[in-house]
Every structure is written in C-alpha cells, then in structure tokens.
Amino acid sequence: MVNQVVIIAGGKGERLKKTIGSIPKALAPINGRTILDYQLENIRQYSFESIHFCLGEGSKEILEHLNTNYGQLNFTYRTEEEPLGTFGALKFSEKYLKEDFFVLLGDVITDINIDFFYKKFKKYDSDVHLISRNTDHPDDSDILVVSKESNVERLDSSENLEFPYKPVGNTGLFFSKKSIIENSDLHKGDFFKNFLSNDKFGTLKVTSSKSIAFIKDFGTKERYSAGIKQLKNIEKKKKILAIFDRDGTVTENYGDNLEFEFKLKNEFLDLALYLQSKNIPKILITNQPGIAKGFFSFDDLDKFHNLLQHKLINSGIKPFDEIYVCPHHPETGHDGEVKKLKKICDCRKPENGLVEKAKNEFYLNNYDFIFIGDSKNDYELSLKYNAKFYLVESEMTQIDFFTKSKIKIFDSLKNIQEQIDLDYY
C-alpha cells in the first residue's frame, strides 16, 4: 500500500485560461465532472493512507470543491504564495510527506493501477520509480534510456540520442522516497529538469516501468479538447489489448533474415490507426530463431524494431507499447549457431511465455486479448486465452488447416478492422 498520493496543482494554468476562464486547471470541466474528480475516482480504487495537495493560485476554489464533494477524504495541503515548480512544491510540503508517495500532476487524468506499480517501486527498492511509455512524439518528450534491469541510465532529448533509439517517453508520473526530498538543498524548480539531472543517476537508484494505461495531459487547449473526446470513447468500454505477430502480419515475411529496408504489410497503418482511434493498445510478439541460428544478433534485432517503431511514428501512428521476442530454436545444426539459445523454451509461439511476461509487466487483468496473425502458431496461442483470433493471409498461412478448422481467413487487414468493429462496437 502506497503511503500517500501527492497531487501537484499549484500552476497558474495560463495555457488553458482562454478555454476555461479563471477557474483552476484541476477544476476544468470534463463531461459533467472536473479533472480532479476523475483523478480522485481512480485514486480511491487503490490502497493509500492519505492524499496531499500542493496548491497555489486557485487553492480556495479547489479546497471548497474538496470540502463540498469529498467530506470524508483524508487529505492535507499546503499553498504556495508563488509557483515553485514540481520539485519546489514537494520541498515546500516536506513536513507533510509520508515515507514514500506517488506523484500526480493536477492536469493529468489517468486510470493507472497505483497498487500494481507501487509493488514494482518496492521490489526494485528505488529512490524514484518513473512510469514510462513508448511515445509517438519523441521529439518533444523526455526520452528514458533504460537498462534490461529497469534502471534509468539517462534522461535526454531525442536530438542527443543515436538513431534509431527506443522511443521510451517519460509520463511525468512517479513514485518517490521522501528522503530524496529531505536530502536536497533545492527549494525551487522542476523535478525532472532541475532536480533529476543525469548526474543524479549515479547517486540515486532510479528505475522505470512502462504502462499502457490511459495517461493524458489536459494542460493545453489542444490537449484538453482531444482528451475530452478520448475519455468519451473509453468510458464504460471493455478494455482490449491487440497482440500482433510480426512477419507476414505487420511486415512482409523475410524468413530468418533482417531486411532493414523492410516494408509494412498493406493496410497495416490503417488498422493501427483504427485501433488507436478506439484507444486499443498493441504489443508485438514474434519468434526470431535467426538469433539462435547465428544469422543476426540481438543488437541487430533491436535496431530493426527501433526502426519499425520510428516508421510508425513518422506515419502518425503510436508505436507498439512493447515488443516481445523469442530468440530460441529447438534444432541444432546451423553454422555459427548460439548453442545456449538452441533449446525448447516456454516463449516460442505457440507457447505463451511472452504473453505471461506482458501480463507481469503491465496490469492486464481487466483486458480482453485479441490476436492478429498469419499462422497456426498464432491461432494456437490465442486458444490458450480463449481469445478472438483474426487470421490475415500470407504465404506462411496453412490454408488447409484453417479451412478444415473453419477459421475465417481475411485477405486484408482492412477486413480485420471491419470485423473488430462488428465484434466490439
């Protein structure tokens, strides 16, 4: 149980004043509620001792809203006389902070599972645990460079990173120990820009985990308008995760080779854009035995997948929320093979090890899965989750098997889009 949730709502909200007038951003109206109502609705589903508000301009209206509508809420607050920035607000409220806490900005609405990610924060015994996601706007995002052990090695802008980099963006949501606030002499400034600079990564333990939850900044006119539409789409809708195969489904099939001038399958971008419009996240699960056979390396494959992600971004599509790879192959006999990868494993499709890994990394208990692939392996994997399977035809598709099994074969991804719409909407 996280000790405390801290909501930082002390900004002036200048960028939204033309849209919402003089009211505080936290009380901006959305579908008959306010941003603060949405925040508290999500927070109160989870385990915490108290809420602390870092307030500034508009504090009187926010406190009146809390006292009128949330009389039983256990909260504290402190009001800045002038804006101190996100770190400055925490420092100013130091005496109210619990041993550890979760930070939420006052103009962000999210349905993140706080308990689930708090367990990760405690598991890593981190000073700071950042919530990240693969971003579709890396050029104006803080990009995280994260190790395989989930340690944040660097926080930087895209222009300083070697292309193609992983587009892992910082969401601004994080867990923190109080001790890092107490031990700092900084009294004003932004948590990330002024406090968590790259030299801190050598002295603090900063970790990260990705989320596919709804996380939306409503702090500008454009984001506010877009966010209202998104909330209308997702409220009271069943949560769905799309799980894609790669070769023959997302890209053309290149066998065991990596073709860096690869082509996406016809109409994949249209299908991805459709899923995006429905707020359906997507992950990629792919068997890549070429690594075990010695045809290419993990670094080569990372480069390929980073290029794939940037190809989507440059097409106006959100990247895959995660890409999972099985590098194993059960048969020996290839020149240059990697012997330790030549084994029977639980992650090579149709085994479900990679789906289970995704379930451990994201909170997926309340999601329905849909599988989109071109082969028997993809279909058999979907059966393990009693999930809908959408078969797109490729040269790898076992036509006789699927015909005998009376599985519908879609000759295009566009037709799959139409079927998903019929099945769910």
Side-chain angles (χ1 to χ4, degrees), residues 23 31 64 71 96 108 110-111 128 140 146-148 175 188 205 208 216 248 252 256 310 314 323-324 339 357 365 393:
I23 63 174
N31 304 333
E64 183 178 343
Y96 294 97
V108 172
T110 179
D111 61 359
V128 181
D140 62 356
V146 185
S147 73
K148 292 180 180 178
F175 296 85
K188 188 174 183 178
K205 184 173 183 181
S208 175
K216 184 67 179 178
E252 297 295 341
D256 282 333
H310 283 281
N314 292 336
I323 296 176
Y324 295 98
K339 295 193 181 298
K357 183 178 180 180
N365 291 3
E393 184 176 353

PDB file of all heavy atoms in Angstrom, residues 23 31 64 71 96 108 110-111 128 140 146-148 175 188 205 208 216 248 252 256 310 314 323-324 339 357 365 393:
ATOM      1  N   ILE A  23     -10.987  29.667 -13.646  1.00  0.00           N
ATOM      2  CA  ILE A  23     -11.014  28.560 -12.689  1.00  0.00           C
ATOM      3  C   ILE A  23      -9.694  27.795 -12.736  1.00  0.00           C
ATOM      4  O   ILE A  23      -9.009  27.772 -13.765  1.00  0.00           O
ATOM      5  CB  ILE A  23     -12.197  27.598 -12.959  1.00  0.00           C
ATOM      6  CG1 ILE A  23     -12.058  26.932 -14.344  1.00  0.00           C
ATOM      7  CG2 ILE A  23     -13.519  28.298 -12.832  1.00  0.00           C
ATOM      8  CD1 ILE A  23     -13.103  25.879 -14.603  1.00  0.00           C
ATOM      9  N   ASN A  31     -17.030  16.452 -19.319  1.00  0.00           N
ATOM     10  CA  ASN A  31     -18.145  15.501 -19.336  1.00  0.00           C
ATOM     11  C   ASN A  31     -18.936  15.516 -18.021  1.00  0.00           C
ATOM     12  O   ASN A  31     -19.284  14.464 -17.471  1.00  0.00           O
ATOM     13  CB  ASN A  31     -17.637  14.086 -19.628  1.00  0.00           C
ATOM     14  CG  ASN A  31     -16.856  14.000 -20.923  1.00  0.00           C
ATOM     15  OD1 ASN A  31     -17.071  14.789 -21.844  1.00  0.00           O
ATOM     16  ND2 ASN A  31     -15.927  13.054 -21.019  1.00  0.00           N
ATOM     17  N   GLU A  64     -12.653  24.309  -1.583  1.00  0.00           N
ATOM     18  CA  GLU A  64     -14.118  24.356  -1.486  1.00  0.00           C
ATOM     19  C   GLU A  64     -14.732  23.155  -2.190  1.00  0.00           C
ATOM     20  O   GLU A  64     -15.682  22.532  -1.678  1.00  0.00           O
ATOM     21  CB  GLU A  64     -14.629  25.655  -2.097  1.00  0.00           C
ATOM     22  CG  GLU A  64     -16.142  25.831  -1.985  1.00  0.00           C
ATOM     23  CD  GLU A  64     -16.627  27.153  -2.562  1.00  0.00           C
ATOM     24  OE1 GLU A  64     -15.794  28.064  -2.759  1.00  0.00           O
ATOM     25  OE2 GLU A  64     -17.837  27.264  -2.832  1.00  0.00           O
ATOM     26  N   GLY A  71     -16.160  15.105   1.656  1.00  0.00           N
ATOM     27  CA  GLY A  71     -16.064  15.411   3.074  1.00  0.00           C
ATOM     28  C   GLY A  71     -15.330  14.373   3.895  1.00  0.00           C
ATOM     29  O   GLY A  71     -14.728  14.697   4.925  1.00  0.00           O
ATOM     30  N   TYR A  96       4.760  17.400   5.361  1.00  0.00           N
ATOM     31  CA  TYR A  96       3.508  16.666   5.190  1.00  0.00           C
ATOM     32  C   TYR A  96       3.704  15.331   4.459  1.00  0.00           C
ATOM     33  O   TYR A  96       2.771  14.526   4.400  1.00  0.00           O
ATOM     34  CB  TYR A  96       2.497  17.501   4.409  1.00  0.00           C
ATOM     35  CG  TYR A  96       2.030  18.738   5.139  1.00  0.00           C
ATOM     36  CD1 TYR A  96       2.614  19.972   4.883  1.00  0.00           C
ATOM     37  CD2 TYR A  96       1.017  18.668   6.077  1.00  0.00           C
ATOM     38  CE1 TYR A  96       2.193  21.116   5.542  1.00  0.00           C
ATOM     39  CE2 TYR A  96       0.572  19.800   6.755  1.00  0.00           C
ATOM     40  CZ  TYR A  96       1.176  21.028   6.483  1.00  0.00           C
ATOM     41  OH  TYR A  96       0.764  22.159   7.150  1.00  0.00           O
ATOM     42  N   VAL A 108      -3.368  16.074 -15.175  1.00  0.00           N
ATOM     43  CA  VAL A 108      -3.248  14.751 -15.801  1.00  0.00           C
ATOM     44  C   VAL A 108      -4.360  13.838 -15.301  1.00  0.00           C
ATOM     45  O   VAL A 108      -4.588  13.724 -14.090  1.00  0.00           O
ATOM     46  CB  VAL A 108      -1.876  14.112 -15.500  1.00  0.00           C
ATOM     47  CG1 VAL A 108      -1.834  12.658 -15.979  1.00  0.00           C
ATOM     48  CG2 VAL A 108      -0.753  14.910 -16.169  1.00  0.00           C
ATOM     49  N   THR A 110      -5.536   9.854 -15.416  1.00  0.00           N
ATOM     50  CA  THR A 110      -5.024   8.520 -15.708  1.00  0.00           C
ATOM     51  C   THR A 110      -5.866   7.469 -14.996  1.00  0.00           C
ATOM     52  O   THR A 110      -6.482   7.760 -13.961  1.00  0.00           O
ATOM     53  CB  THR A 110      -3.553   8.376 -15.261  1.00  0.00           C
ATOM     54  OG1 THR A 110      -3.086   7.054 -15.542  1.00  0.00           O
ATOM     55  CG2 THR A 110      -3.389   8.652 -13.779  1.00  0.00           C
ATOM     56  N   ASP A 111      -5.891   6.267 -15.556  1.00  0.00           N
ATOM     57  CA  ASP A 111      -6.526   5.143 -14.868  1.00  0.00           C
ATOM     58  C   ASP A 111      -5.470   4.107 -14.477  1.00  0.00           C
ATOM     59  O   ASP A 111      -5.750   2.924 -14.352  1.00  0.00           O
ATOM     60  CB  ASP A 111      -7.634   4.517 -15.716  1.00  0.00           C
ATOM     61  CG  ASP A 111      -7.128   3.959 -17.050  1.00  0.00           C
ATOM     62  OD1 ASP A 111      -5.917   4.072 -17.340  1.00  0.00           O
ATOM     63  OD2 ASP A 111      -7.951   3.421 -17.816  1.00  0.00           O
ATOM     64  N   VAL A 128      13.503   6.581  -6.798  1.00  0.00           N
ATOM     65  CA  VAL A 128      12.461   7.127  -7.671  1.00  0.00           C
ATOM     66  C   VAL A 128      12.106   6.053  -8.686  1.00  0.00           C
ATOM     67  O   VAL A 128      12.997   5.402  -9.248  1.00  0.00           O
ATOM     68  CB  VAL A 128      12.938   8.392  -8.413  1.00  0.00           C
ATOM     69  CG1 VAL A 128      11.827   8.947  -9.301  1.00  0.00           C
ATOM     70  CG2 VAL A 128      13.413   9.464  -7.434  1.00  0.00           C
ATOM     71  N   ASP A 140       9.566  15.968 -28.766  1.00  0.00           N
ATOM     72  CA  ASP A 140       9.301  16.929 -27.698  1.00  0.00           C
ATOM     73  C   ASP A 140       9.031  16.224 -26.365  1.00  0.00           C
ATOM     74  O   ASP A 140       8.303  16.724 -25.508  1.00  0.00           O
ATOM     75  CB  ASP A 140       8.136  17.852 -28.061  1.00  0.00           C
ATOM     76  CG  ASP A 140       6.817  17.111 -28.256  1.00  0.00           C
ATOM     77  OD1 ASP A 140       6.816  15.868 -28.176  1.00  0.00           O
ATOM     78  OD2 ASP A 140       5.794  17.767 -28.488  1.00  0.00           O
ATOM     79  N   VAL A 146      16.913   3.070 -20.648  1.00  0.00           N
ATOM     80  CA  VAL A 146      16.662   2.148 -19.540  1.00  0.00           C
ATOM     81  C   VAL A 146      17.399   0.840 -19.785  1.00  0.00           C
ATOM     82  O   VAL A 146      17.376   0.290 -20.897  1.00  0.00           O
ATOM     83  CB  VAL A 146      15.148   1.878 -19.387  1.00  0.00           C
ATOM     84  CG1 VAL A 146      14.881   1.006 -18.165  1.00  0.00           C
ATOM     85  CG2 VAL A 146      14.377   3.194 -19.275  1.00  0.00           C
ATOM     86  N   SER A 147      18.060   0.311 -18.758  1.00  0.00           N
ATOM     87  CA  SER A 147      18.773  -0.957 -18.876  1.00  0.00           C
ATOM     88  C   SER A 147      17.793  -2.125 -18.843  1.00  0.00           C
ATOM     89  O   SER A 147      16.612  -1.962 -18.514  1.00  0.00           O
ATOM     90  CB  SER A 147      19.773  -1.102 -17.729  1.00  0.00           C
ATOM     91  OG  SER A 147      19.090  -1.369 -16.508  1.00  0.00           O
ATOM     92  N   LYS A 148      18.311  -3.314 -19.141  1.00  0.00           N
ATOM     93  CA  LYS A 148      17.469  -4.507 -19.090  1.00  0.00           C
ATOM     94  C   LYS A 148      16.994  -4.787 -17.662  1.00  0.00           C
ATOM     95  O   LYS A 148      15.995  -5.481 -17.466  1.00  0.00           O
ATOM     96  CB  LYS A 148      18.235  -5.710 -19.627  1.00  0.00           C
ATOM     97  CG  LYS A 148      18.512  -5.635 -21.123  1.00  0.00           C
ATOM     98  CD  LYS A 148      19.264  -6.854 -21.612  1.00  0.00           C
ATOM     99  CE  LYS A 148      19.520  -6.758 -23.115  1.00  0.00           C
ATOM    100  NZ  LYS A 148      20.301  -7.928 -23.620  1.00  0.00           N
ATOM    101  N   PHE A 175       6.834   7.447  -8.469  1.00  0.00           N
ATOM    102  CA  PHE A 175       6.867   7.144  -7.045  1.00  0.00           C
ATOM    103  C   PHE A 175       8.205   7.644  -6.506  1.00  0.00           C
ATOM    104  O   PHE A 175       9.217   7.609  -7.207  1.00  0.00           O
ATOM    105  CB  PHE A 175       6.751   5.642  -6.795  1.00  0.00           C
ATOM    106  CG  PHE A 175       5.450   5.039  -7.228  1.00  0.00           C
ATOM    107  CD1 PHE A 175       5.254   4.629  -8.540  1.00  0.00           C
ATOM    108  CD2 PHE A 175       4.411   4.866  -6.317  1.00  0.00           C
ATOM    109  CE1 PHE A 175       4.046   4.074  -8.942  1.00  0.00           C
ATOM    110  CE2 PHE A 175       3.200   4.299  -6.708  1.00  0.00           C
ATOM    111  CZ  PHE A 175       3.020   3.909  -8.022  1.00  0.00           C
ATOM    112  N   LYS A 188      13.400  25.263  -5.300  1.00  0.00           N
ATOM    113  CA  LYS A 188      12.543  25.744  -6.377  1.00  0.00           C
ATOM    114  C   LYS A 188      12.993  25.103  -7.682  1.00  0.00           C
ATOM    115  O   LYS A 188      14.179  24.935  -7.923  1.00  0.00           O
ATOM    116  CB  LYS A 188      12.620  27.272  -6.494  1.00  0.00           C
ATOM    117  CG  LYS A 188      11.627  27.888  -7.450  1.00  0.00           C
ATOM    118  CD  LYS A 188      11.691  29.410  -7.383  1.00  0.00           C
ATOM    119  CE  LYS A 188      10.641  30.043  -8.290  1.00  0.00           C
ATOM    120  NZ  LYS A 188      10.655  31.533  -8.208  1.00  0.00           N
ATOM    121  N   LYS A 205      19.004   5.633  -6.991  1.00  0.00           N
ATOM    122  CA  LYS A 205      18.525   4.489  -7.749  1.00  0.00           C
ATOM    123  C   LYS A 205      17.208   4.879  -8.401  1.00  0.00           C
ATOM    124  O   LYS A 205      16.178   4.991  -7.720  1.00  0.00           O
ATOM    125  CB  LYS A 205      18.340   3.250  -6.875  1.00  0.00           C
ATOM    126  CG  LYS A 205      17.941   2.025  -7.704  1.00  0.00           C
ATOM    127  CD  LYS A 205      17.911   0.753  -6.889  1.00  0.00           C
ATOM    128  CE  LYS A 205      17.583  -0.438  -7.802  1.00  0.00           C
ATOM    129  NZ  LYS A 205      17.514  -1.713  -7.052  1.00  0.00           N
ATOM    130  N   SER A 208      12.361   2.344 -13.808  1.00  0.00           N
ATOM    131  CA  SER A 208      11.209   2.689 -14.640  1.00  0.00           C
ATOM    132  C   SER A 208      10.455   1.442 -15.043  1.00  0.00           C
ATOM    133  O   SER A 208      11.036   0.358 -15.164  1.00  0.00           O
ATOM    134  CB  SER A 208      11.677   3.436 -15.899  1.00  0.00           C
ATOM    135  OG  SER A 208      10.596   3.674 -16.778  1.00  0.00           O
ATOM    136  N   LYS A 216      -3.243  11.082 -19.757  1.00  0.00           N
ATOM    137  CA  LYS A 216      -3.473  12.210 -20.664  1.00  0.00           C
ATOM    138  C   LYS A 216      -3.262  13.529 -19.943  1.00  0.00           C
ATOM    139  O   LYS A 216      -3.884  13.799 -18.912  1.00  0.00           O
ATOM    140  CB  LYS A 216      -4.898  12.144 -21.226  1.00  0.00           C
ATOM    141  CG  LYS A 216      -5.204  13.231 -22.251  1.00  0.00           C
ATOM    142  CD  LYS A 216      -4.406  13.051 -23.531  1.00  0.00           C
ATOM    143  CE  LYS A 216      -4.734  14.112 -24.561  1.00  0.00           C
ATOM    144  NZ  LYS A 216      -3.943  13.968 -25.781  1.00  0.00           N
ATOM    145  N   GLY A 248       4.792 -11.396 -41.893  1.00  0.00           N
ATOM    146  CA  GLY A 248       3.610 -11.826 -42.619  1.00  0.00           C
ATOM    147  C   GLY A 248       2.338 -11.162 -42.134  1.00  0.00           C
ATOM    148  O   GLY A 248       1.297 -11.276 -42.784  1.00  0.00           O
ATOM    149  N   GLU A 252       6.182  -7.539 -44.270  1.00  0.00           N
ATOM    150  CA  GLU A 252       6.331  -8.648 -45.203  1.00  0.00           C
ATOM    151  C   GLU A 252       7.233  -9.695 -44.559  1.00  0.00           C
ATOM    152  O   GLU A 252       8.006  -9.403 -43.644  1.00  0.00           O
ATOM    153  CB  GLU A 252       6.942  -8.160 -46.520  1.00  0.00           C
ATOM    154  CG  GLU A 252       6.077  -7.146 -47.261  1.00  0.00           C
ATOM    155  CD  GLU A 252       4.752  -7.717 -47.757  1.00  0.00           C
ATOM    156  OE1 GLU A 252       4.640  -8.966 -47.863  1.00  0.00           O
ATOM    157  OE2 GLU A 252       3.830  -6.944 -48.021  1.00  0.00           O
ATOM    158  N   ASP A 256      14.320 -15.866 -42.088  1.00  0.00           N
ATOM    159  CA  ASP A 256      15.220 -15.703 -40.952  1.00  0.00           C
ATOM    160  C   ASP A 256      16.170 -14.521 -41.121  1.00  0.00           C
ATOM    161  O   ASP A 256      17.125 -14.376 -40.358  1.00  0.00           O
ATOM    162  CB  ASP A 256      16.055 -16.976 -40.755  1.00  0.00           C
ATOM    163  CG  ASP A 256      15.256 -18.076 -40.066  1.00  0.00           C
ATOM    164  OD1 ASP A 256      14.328 -17.735 -39.316  1.00  0.00           O
ATOM    165  OD2 ASP A 256      15.560 -19.258 -40.278  1.00  0.00           O
ATOM    166  N   HIS A 310       9.932   3.763 -35.210  1.00  0.00           N
ATOM    167  CA  HIS A 310      10.034   5.118 -35.770  1.00  0.00           C
ATOM    168  C   HIS A 310       9.304   5.227 -37.106  1.00  0.00           C
ATOM    169  O   HIS A 310       8.798   6.305 -37.445  1.00  0.00           O
ATOM    170  CB  HIS A 310      11.502   5.509 -35.912  1.00  0.00           C
ATOM    171  CG  HIS A 310      12.146   5.893 -34.616  1.00  0.00           C
ATOM    172  ND1 HIS A 310      11.958   7.133 -34.037  1.00  0.00           N
ATOM    173  CD2 HIS A 310      12.948   5.190 -33.774  1.00  0.00           C
ATOM    174  CE1 HIS A 310      12.630   7.185 -32.897  1.00  0.00           C
ATOM    175  NE2 HIS A 310      13.232   6.017 -32.707  1.00  0.00           N
ATOM    176  N   ASN A 314       6.624   8.130 -37.634  1.00  0.00           N
ATOM    177  CA  ASN A 314       6.706   9.049 -38.775  1.00  0.00           C
ATOM    178  C   ASN A 314       5.474   8.981 -39.665  1.00  0.00           C
ATOM    179  O   ASN A 314       5.235   9.886 -40.469  1.00  0.00           O
ATOM    180  CB  ASN A 314       7.959   8.752 -39.600  1.00  0.00           C
ATOM    181  CG  ASN A 314       9.239   9.085 -38.862  1.00  0.00           C
ATOM    182  OD1 ASN A 314       9.240   9.909 -37.948  1.00  0.00           O
ATOM    183  ND2 ASN A 314      10.335   8.440 -39.227  1.00  0.00           N
ATOM    184  N   ILE A 323       7.498  -4.719 -27.504  1.00  0.00           N
ATOM    185  CA  ILE A 323       7.833  -5.756 -28.474  1.00  0.00           C
ATOM    186  C   ILE A 323       8.514  -6.887 -27.721  1.00  0.00           C
ATOM    187  O   ILE A 323       9.517  -6.671 -27.024  1.00  0.00           O
ATOM    188  CB  ILE A 323       8.752  -5.214 -29.587  1.00  0.00           C
ATOM    189  CG1 ILE A 323       8.017  -4.144 -30.404  1.00  0.00           C
ATOM    190  CG2 ILE A 323       9.238  -6.352 -30.487  1.00  0.00           C
ATOM    191  CD1 ILE A 323       8.871  -3.467 -31.465  1.00  0.00           C
ATOM    192  N   TYR A 324       7.966  -8.086 -27.845  1.00  0.00           N
ATOM    193  CA  TYR A 324       8.496  -9.260 -27.161  1.00  0.00           C
ATOM    194  C   TYR A 324       9.025 -10.252 -28.195  1.00  0.00           C
ATOM    195  O   TYR A 324       8.366 -10.521 -29.208  1.00  0.00           O
ATOM    196  CB  TYR A 324       7.413  -9.922 -26.316  1.00  0.00           C
ATOM    197  CG  TYR A 324       6.930  -9.061 -25.177  1.00  0.00           C
ATOM    198  CD1 TYR A 324       5.763  -8.305 -25.297  1.00  0.00           C
ATOM    199  CD2 TYR A 324       7.638  -8.998 -23.984  1.00  0.00           C
ATOM    200  CE1 TYR A 324       5.312  -7.514 -24.249  1.00  0.00           C
ATOM    201  CE2 TYR A 324       7.196  -8.201 -22.930  1.00  0.00           C
ATOM    202  CZ  TYR A 324       6.040  -7.467 -23.071  1.00  0.00           C
ATOM    203  OH  TYR A 324       5.603  -6.678 -22.040  1.00  0.00           O
ATOM    204  N   LYS A 339      24.654 -21.789 -29.140  1.00  0.00           N
ATOM    205  CA  LYS A 339      24.228 -23.047 -28.528  1.00  0.00           C
ATOM    206  C   LYS A 339      23.305 -22.853 -27.329  1.00  0.00           C
ATOM    207  O   LYS A 339      22.380 -23.641 -27.116  1.00  0.00           O
ATOM    208  CB  LYS A 339      25.456 -23.883 -28.149  1.00  0.00           C
ATOM    209  CG  LYS A 339      26.262 -24.335 -29.363  1.00  0.00           C
ATOM    210  CD  LYS A 339      27.261 -25.393 -28.984  1.00  0.00           C
ATOM    211  CE  LYS A 339      28.080 -25.811 -30.220  1.00  0.00           C
ATOM    212  NZ  LYS A 339      27.218 -26.399 -31.253  1.00  0.00           N
ATOM    213  N   LYS A 357       4.683 -12.864 -19.742  1.00  0.00           N
ATOM    214  CA  LYS A 357       5.636 -11.811 -19.408  1.00  0.00           C
ATOM    215  C   LYS A 357       4.969 -10.439 -19.515  1.00  0.00           C
ATOM    216  O   LYS A 357       5.154  -9.573 -18.644  1.00  0.00           O
ATOM    217  CB  LYS A 357       6.849 -11.880 -20.338  1.00  0.00           C
ATOM    218  CG  LYS A 357       7.932 -10.868 -20.008  1.00  0.00           C
ATOM    219  CD  LYS A 357       9.138 -11.022 -20.930  1.00  0.00           C
ATOM    220  CE  LYS A 357      10.225  -9.995 -20.571  1.00  0.00           C
ATOM    221  NZ  LYS A 357      11.402 -10.123 -21.456  1.00  0.00           N
ATOM    222  N   ASN A 365      -5.157  -7.582 -16.110  1.00  0.00           N
ATOM    223  CA  ASN A 365      -6.228  -8.434 -15.583  1.00  0.00           C
ATOM    224  C   ASN A 365      -7.600  -8.055 -16.113  1.00  0.00           C
ATOM    225  O   ASN A 365      -8.494  -8.890 -16.202  1.00  0.00           O
ATOM    226  CB  ASN A 365      -6.243  -8.379 -14.057  1.00  0.00           C
ATOM    227  CG  ASN A 365      -5.018  -9.049 -13.449  1.00  0.00           C
ATOM    228  OD1 ASN A 365      -4.142  -9.500 -14.172  1.00  0.00           O
ATOM    229  ND2 ASN A 365      -4.953  -9.100 -12.138  1.00  0.00           N
ATOM    230  N   GLU A 393      -4.158 -13.536 -44.248  1.00  0.00           N
ATOM    231  CA  GLU A 393      -3.484 -14.485 -45.136  1.00  0.00           C
ATOM    232  C   GLU A 393      -2.127 -13.956 -45.579  1.00  0.00           C
ATOM    233  O   GLU A 393      -1.962 -12.784 -45.928  1.00  0.00           O
ATOM    234  CB  GLU A 393      -4.358 -14.766 -46.367  1.00  0.00           C
ATOM    235  CG  GLU A 393      -3.774 -15.829 -47.289  1.00  0.00           C
ATOM    236  CD  GLU A 393      -4.690 -16.165 -48.450  1.00  0.00           C
ATOM    237  OE1 GLU A 393      -5.838 -15.662 -48.474  1.00  0.00           O
ATOM    238  OE2 GLU A 393      -4.260 -16.920 -49.332  1.00  0.00           O
TER     239      GLU A 393
END
